Amino acid sequence: MRKTAALALFALLTVTAAPSYAAGCLKGAAVGAVGGHFVGKGHSVAGAAVGCAIGHHRAKVEARKDAKQQAAQASQAAQPAQQK
């Protein structure tokens, strides 16, 4: 009975889950888990959590930087057309 209920709950949660936009989280979590493993016993989970947060932050900063660069290129491309 418990097994059936657990499987049904798992299926329900899987079907209704929203997409996750965790850019950089998996890579950061992997690096953090390895680093935490080498620090000491039991630190791999904490390292993965911190690595995920840092990886997500760095991906977000990189995305902002790319967006600014693309906007600057678009404005530079539009300026010569206006001068003619």
Side-chain angles (χ1 to χ4, degrees), residues 40-76:
K41 183 177 180 182
H43 288 90
S44 58
V45 174
V50 172
C52 177
I54 292 172
H56 182 68
H57 172 71
R58 287 191 175 186
K60 197 162 110 178
V61 168
E62 188 70 26
R64 283 185 188 164
K65 188 173 120 180
D66 288 344
K68 276 186 182 180
Q69 190 176 29
Q70 287 178 355
Q73 288 176 351
S75 68
Q76 287 176 353

Side-chain angles (χ1 to χ4, degrees), residues 14-29:
T14 303
V15 171
T16 60
S20 175
Y21 302 106
C25 182
L26 293 177
K27 186 177 177 182

